[in-house]
Amino acid sequence: MKKVSELFSARARNPWEVANMRNGSAGFRIPEYQRAYDWSRENIHRLMTDIFTGFERLSEGTGANTFTFLGTLILVKDKKQEPEFQGRSYSIVDGQQRLTTLTLLACVLIERLRILRQDLPDLKSKTIEWLEIETNSIEFALASCIRGTQLVQHDNVSYPFPRIVRHQDYRGDSVGTEELKSEISIFQTKFVEFIRSKELEFLAPDLGNTREANKILTNFQDIQQFCKDLNDPKWFEKNDCQFLEANKFPHRGYRNLWKKAHDVLENDNELSKAISEILQSEEIHNFYRTLMLAAYFCNCVAVTTVITDDEDAAFDIFDALNTTGEPLTALETLKPHVINAAKSRDHGYSGSDCEIAFNSIDDIMANNFPETKQKQDEAKHLVITFALYLEGRKISLNLNAQRTQLLRLFNNSKTIENGPTKFMNALASVSEYRCNYWTPNNIGEINKYHNNQIDAELVKLLCSLISATKTNLTLPILARYWIVGKERTDFTDYIKVIKAITAFLTIRRAATGTTDGIDTCFRDIMEDKTSNNKFGLCTGLKFENQILSVSELKSALVSKLESRKVKYKDKDEWIKHVIDTPIYTHSQPIVRFMLLCASHNTAPDKDNPGLLTREGIPPSDNRSYLDYKFWNGEDYKTVEHVAPNSDKPEGWNNEIYSNSRIRNTLGNLVLLPVKENNAVGKASWKKKNLFYTALTDETMKKRKSALESAKRQGLRFHAKTEELILNGKRLSMLDGIRDVENWDKEFIEKRTHRLASLAWDTLRPWLD
């Protein structure tokens, strides 16, 4: 057993010390499983303000609070990579985002010093000589953060190399033996050419149009602006930072930054005189402040470097130490295992189905979840969905557990023929399904899978509802049928399944209000058949499980509706529960969908004013409300209480307010556009009745007549409300409400019963 001291070494280092490990021969390699460089503008802003804050604190002392600590850099000694590289290669397990950004900052500081240096005024010869030597020393230290040199033994000469490369790069000991393809290695190589030139400004190279290329160039430009802002007091005021005034330049903390002063100046007294001369020249302040920042960067920005030769230990250390960085997701730590599994086969990883699948997932993450937190959250939920899809068991959101469990699932796949390929294809498909059917911004992507426009619009509506209710555990069920449908290019069964799932979800939620127990129902359907309550829809670890037929799935859902816990065996029993459920307080998305279902292909019931009916009503495009355009459009966007949702408003029946449950049941709710909803929220029924009358009148003439009638009765609307009434779209879903004489408790219960009945008649057949 190894001693703890043999597992790893750790120490705090500034950027110059990191670059100069192993006598300057250290090169850092970003492994294939690492995410692309993607630090956001917020990350850059936080880094720079942290550095500026520590830099200004040097004017108050030289304690620990003057250093800028940037977390941990965890490195693993490479053993086999880059065979022609004569330096010491380290794989970065954690810290590549910070290290890459620090490298960009070193580049910006070199360029900024060159630009400011050209405008230095005439000073005494010793001051100028000191600044020249100090600047050259600091620029050399900054340059070492960007490029290193290796001793080429056969020629006894040195050859430069970029400090940071990615997995596709190979550093060599000559032009003929190196292969630099990544955006970051090309950027550094071009900047080294700039260092050797006499140019003042760096012309950034064309890195292509990848996300990483754009991030490198955008962040470089942002850091350039930050370094310009260093000399702008107004920027510091806006960003709640303390500007470094010139009168603080002589402070001991800043004097300690100078390493070459006594090579030119004989003693501290002469250094004081040189600084005094600098203080008298405002033109030199910007340069001197920037030079001090560069010295601060090289000496007082710190990372804790942890070095080991055991990658597993590196991940364990990372999990234990990481507090400020962005942890690798379970997908990212799975990647090297997938690569190794593919390499052990005849054709290797490059160009394999496993690589194609992983690239697909990476593209989905980069294009649809651009911010780091978004990406991490989606990765976690993808792993949960996939584990249920594969094994029927839910795993936690805990990152360590996810890494362990995902690797376990993958290792099981290696025991069957083409298992890793099946595993990765399934994972990529689940990711695709989540992205396009679950993410609201991507809902339009559904059209590319469904040729029938009516089917596509219905699927978009149902997916939007499920997403709005955050019913995540439906996803493995839906993904199971969708993936089969995609393979067969026939989504008929999938559409039947999503309708059945939606019916089950809505019927249960409308009666119970809460989500209590519903997730267990969905887990039972996915889980292997270990008891009578489990249905085994998961694929199984070896992809051996046959998919349930649609009728089998529907039977499973019906059995959950008819269980002892809920007991919704028939329509009348279910409606009794709906009448007593204050559904508005539990789920407004369910309310919206229930009202769409209840109003679908109906017309006002002439025998029961204010109610709807389907008897004798043929289907009509104008009243076919089960369509995504009604869910997504503005006409029926918000849920409105008819009797206001407040305590005993004036002009309303007291019985409605004897129990808050009554006014929050389905019968007291309608759908309105946002503006109309806000227009008469707390008005009396008499005034609201006129409002609904105007909103359902078909002509402008009739709407004006309704307003005039209101005025004759002493009722007046605000000018904006009148404009809404006259110019708004006719809201056919409100037809019949104008015919209600008294909106009271009795009518609300009667309307709840009718709406629930109509919704049941729409939804329950989806489970047959």
Side-chain angles (χ1 to χ4, degrees):
M1 180 178 180
K2 286 185 176 181
K3 296 178 181 179
V4 172
S5 59
E6 295 175 330
L7 288 175
F8 65 90
S9 62
R11 59 164 288 189
R13 289 181 169 93
N14 58 45
W16 184 86
E17 290 171 331
V18 171
N20 283 277
M21 293 191 311
R22 301 280 299 200
N23 295 320
S25 67
F28 307 103
R29 186 179 182 87
I30 302 170
E32 194 164 8
Y33 59 81
Q34 287 277 20
R35 65 174 70 96
Y37 177 65
D38 65 352
W39 253 25
S40 66
R41 181 162 290 175
E42 290 74 21
N43 293 129
I44 300 295
H45 185 277
R46 185 171 65 247
L47 171 75
M48 295 304 298
T49 52
D50 284 350
I51 290 175
F52 285 176
T53 299
F55 177 52
E56 197 278 332
R57 281 181 184 154
L58 275 177
S59 65
E60 301 170 1
T62 57
N65 68 341
T66 62
F67 287 81
T68 300
F69 293 96
L70 298 180
T72 307
L73 179 63
I74 300 178
L75 307 171
V76 177
K77 298 174 184 176
D78 279 342
K79 297 175 182 177
K80 297 180 180 179
Q81 295 173 342
E82 301 183 279
E84 301 300 324
F85 178 46
Q86 303 301 318
R88 170 77 264 186
S89 181
Y90 295 91
S91 284
I92 306 174
V93 171
D94 180 44
Q96 65 119 339
Q97 303 286 338
R98 281 164 296 196
L99 190 59
T100 303
T101 305
L102 290 176
T103 302
L104 295 179
L105 176 52
C107 293
V108 169
L109 288 169
I110 290 173
E111 180 195 42
R112 189 73 185 142
L113 288 172
R114 279 198 181 184
I115 292 171
L116 295 174
R117 193 176 186 177
Q118 67 173 333
D119 295 326
L120 286 180
D122 292 333
L123 297 170
K124 291 181 180 179
S125 58
K126 275 200 171 184
T127 302
I128 285 292
E129 185 182 358
W130 163 53
L131 288 178
E132 289 286 345
I133 292 176
E134 202 75 65
T135 302
N136 290 338
S137 174
I138 290 171
E139 285 188 353
F140 179 83
L142 291 169
S144 71
C145 298
I146 304 160
R147 57 103 177 93
T149 55
Q150 55 188 316
L151 183 63
V152 181
Q153 294 180 354
H154 53 79
D155 292 329
N156 198 28
V157 296
S158 62
Y159 186 75
F161 63 87
R163 286 289 181 200
I164 303 175
V165 297
R166 295 195 75 89
H167 63 90
Q168 65 265 43
D169 299 315
Y170 291 93
R171 288 171 286 208
D173 57 7
S174 66
V175 174
T177 59
E178 70 181 5
E179 189 174 2
L180 302 176
K181 296 180 178 179
S182 72
E183 294 88 340
I184 188 60
S185 67
I186 293 171
F187 184 91
Q188 291 167 98
T189 301
K190 292 298 182 183
F191 199 87
V192 169
E193 293 177 8
F194 167 74
I195 291 173
R196 291 171 173 170
S197 74
K198 295 183 180 180
E199 298 294 327
L200 294 177
E201 296 186 28
F202 174 60
L203 180 62
D206 181 1
L207 300 179
N209 195 32
T210 65
R211 178 173 175 77
E212 178 154 315
N214 293 330
K215 276 291 182 182
I216 289 171
L217 297 179
T218 299
N219 288 351
F220 179 74
Q221 292 166 0
D222 286 345
I223 295 169
Q224 283 178 314
Q225 185 59 51
F226 274 109
C227 287
K228 291 177 183 177
D229 292 333
L230 172 71
N231 293 301
D232 181 5
K234 293 181 180 179
W235 182 91
F236 283 81
E237 289 178 12
K238 292 178 183 177
N239 288 272
D240 198 26
C241 289
Q242 186 65 44
F243 179 66
L244 177 60
E245 300 287 352
N247 59 15
K248 295 180 180 179
F249 290 174
H251 193 278
R252 181 167 59 92
Y254 300 114
R255 294 163 70 102
N256 288 344
L257 293 174
W258 306 129
K259 305 298 183 184
K260 301 295 181 181
H262 292 156
D263 290 356
V264 178
L265 308 172
E266 294 179 3
N267 50 46
D268 288 343
N269 187 44
E270 285 204 2
L271 176 59
S272 296
K273 289 180 180 178
I275 295 173
S276 295
E277 185 180 1
I278 290 168
L279 287 173
Q280 293 170 15
S281 174
E282 290 189 7
E283 293 91 341
I284 201 173
H285 289 179
N286 288 353
F287 172 79
Y288 191 73
R289 188 181 288 109
T290 304
L291 184 64
M292 284 195 295
L293 177 69
Y296 177 86
F297 170 83
C298 291
N299 293 283
C300 300
V301 173
V303 294
T304 299
T305 54
V306 178
I307 303 174
T308 179
D309 56 6
D310 185 333
E311 189 171 58
D312 291 335
F315 282 121
D316 290 339
I317 295 164
F318 164 67
D319 291 333
L321 295 181
N322 183 62
T323 56
T324 59
E326 291 138 0
L328 294 171
T329 66
L331 298 176
E332 289 165 326
T333 56
L334 176 69
K335 195 167 189 177
H337 299 282
V338 176
I339 293 170
N340 288 335
K343 284 180 178 178
S344 68
R345 297 169 185 268
D346 293 338
H347 300 294
Y349 181 72
S350 180
S352 68
D353 289 338
C354 286
E355 184 188 38
I356 293 169
F358 235 125
N359 287 344
S360 170
I361 296 170
D362 288 342
D363 288 343
I364 286 171
M365 292 294 179
N367 296 329
N368 299 282
F369 308 97
E371 298 302 324
T372 302
K373 187 179 185 307
Q374 292 177 328
K375 192 180 301 180
Q376 290 174 338
D377 288 345
E378 174 58 19
K380 286 181 179 180
H381 288 291
L382 169 59
V383 170
I384 290 173
T385 301
F386 183 66
L388 281 161
Y389 170 90
L390 194 66
E391 192 179 23
R393 296 174 60 187
K394 186 178 180 182
I395 61 178
S396 76
L397 281 167
N398 178 271
L399 192 51
N400 285 340
Q402 287 209 338
R403 287 180 186 151
T404 301
Q405 293 300 321
L406 190 61
L407 180 57
R408 175 183 64 82
L409 295 173
F410 178 72
N411 286 337
N412 270 291
S413 76
K414 292 192 289 187
T415 64
I416 64 171
E417 186 177 359
N418 294 323
T421 298
K422 291 178 180 179
F423 182 95
M424 285 308 306
N425 284 341
L427 182 57
S429 293
V430 172
S431 178
E432 181 182 359
Y433 182 77
R434 281 186 57 90
C435 178
N436 293 332
Y437 284 72
W438 178 254
T439 307
N441 291 341
N442 289 355
I443 206 76
E445 295 296 312
I446 287 175
N447 287 57
K448 70 184 183 185
Y449 301 105
H450 303 275
N451 295 325
N452 185 300
Q453 185 66 21
I454 295 175
D455 287 346
E457 294 306 303
L458 178 61
V459 169
K460 285 193 283 187
L461 166 61
L462 303 186
C463 286
S464 297
L465 167 70
I466 295 170
S467 178
T469 59
K470 297 181 171 61
T471 315
N472 298 273
L473 291 188
T474 60
L475 287 170
I477 300 173
L478 295 170
R480 184 84 159 93
Y481 288 91
W482 181 82
I483 290 170
V484 171
K486 186 184 177 188
E487 291 169 352
R488 297 174 179 171
T489 63
D490 181 0
F491 291 102
T492 303
D493 283 354
Y494 168 76
I495 292 172
K496 292 177 182 177
V497 167
I498 194 171
K499 289 170 70 175
I501 290 287
T502 305
F504 171 83
L505 170 65
T506 308
I507 288 171
R508 179 152 177 149
R509 288 290 305 274
T512 63
T514 67
T515 60
D516 183 39
I518 199 166
D519 283 351
T520 301
C521 295
F522 294 132
R523 276 198 297 269
D524 288 347
I525 287 171
M526 291 305 301
E527 194 168 337
D528 270 330
K529 296 179 182 180
T530 54
S531 70
N532 291 333
N533 294 322
K534 315 296 182 184
F535 296 90
L537 181 59
C538 64
T539 65
L541 293 177
K542 298 182 179 180
F543 299 90
E544 72 274 21
N545 292 346
Q546 293 295 314
I547 195 168
L548 297 177
S549 68
V550 174
S551 61
E552 287 174 323
L553 175 70
K554 288 181 177 181
S555 295
L557 292 169
V558 169
S559 72
K560 294 296 183 181
L561 279 180
E562 297 178 352
S563 67
R564 292 180 181 179
K565 184 172 183 177
V566 288
K567 300 179 182 177
Y568 306 140
K569 290 186 177 181
D570 57 54
K571 179 177 179 179
D572 291 338
E573 191 173 14
W574 178 73
I575 290 175
K576 288 178 184 177
H577 288 276
V578 176
I579 290 174
D580 202 43
T581 300
I583 188 64
Y584 178 86
T585 62
H586 294 297
S587 177
Q588 291 184 46
I590 292 291
V591 173
R592 288 189 68 206
F593 186 67
M594 285 280 287
L595 290 172
L596 291 175
C597 288
S599 305
H600 183 62
N601 287 331
T602 62
D605 186 342
K606 295 178 181 178
D607 297 327
N608 294 281
L611 303 183
L612 299 173
T613 183
R614 286 198 186 99
E615 292 185 13
I617 307 300
S620 165
D621 288 344
N622 293 332
R623 302 186 70 85
S624 295
Y625 295 113
L626 287 180
D627 190 305
Y628 179 65
K629 68 183 178 184
F630 290 107
W631 177 271
N632 189 55
E634 295 299 321
D635 293 348
Y636 304 108
K637 195 76 171 177
T638 61
V639 180
E640 159 77 346
H641 289 77
V642 179
N645 187 26
S646 58
D647 292 333
K648 298 182 180 179
E650 186 177 345
W652 287 91
N653 186 290
N654 287 334
E655 285 189 334
I656 296 174
Y657 295 91
S658 62
N659 188 327
S660 63
R661 173 190 58 79
I662 297 169
R663 63 179 183 265
N664 288 305
T665 54
L666 192 64
N668 191 44
L669 304 171
V670 294
L671 299 181
L672 288 175
V674 175
K675 290 180 180 179
E676 281 79 348
N677 191 344
N678 294 330
V680 289
K682 294 183 179 180
S684 67
W685 169 240
K686 192 174 184 181
K687 197 169 187 178
K688 278 199 171 184
N689 184 280
L690 287 166
F691 184 67
Y692 293 134
T693 297
L695 291 178
T696 53
D697 276 332
E698 296 183 3
T699 65
M700 178 74 75
K701 184 177 180 180
K702 289 183 177 180
R703 294 185 182 197
K704 286 182 178 179
S705 176
L707 286 174
E708 290 169 2
S709 174
K711 291 176 182 178
R712 286 194 297 271
Q713 297 177 55
L715 300 173
R716 294 187 178 275
F717 295 98
H718 290 297
K720 287 186 177 180
T721 305
E722 288 191 12
E723 185 181 346
L724 285 171
I725 291 172
L726 293 174
N727 300 321
K729 189 175 181 180
R730 174 175 137 73
L731 301 177
S732 58
M733 195 183 290
L734 302 178
D735 285 349
I737 289 181
R738 62 195 289 177
D739 301 325
V740 179
E741 185 173 346
N742 295 311
W743 197 278
D744 53 21
K745 177 177 178 286
E746 181 182 355
F747 177 75
I748 290 173
E749 290 177 343
K750 183 189 265 188
R751 184 168 181 262
T752 300
H753 189 288
R754 178 63 64 87
L755 291 173
S757 176
L758 291 167
W760 173 279
D761 292 343
T762 298
L763 293 169
R764 187 57 182 78
W766 291 0
L767 286 164
D768 292 334

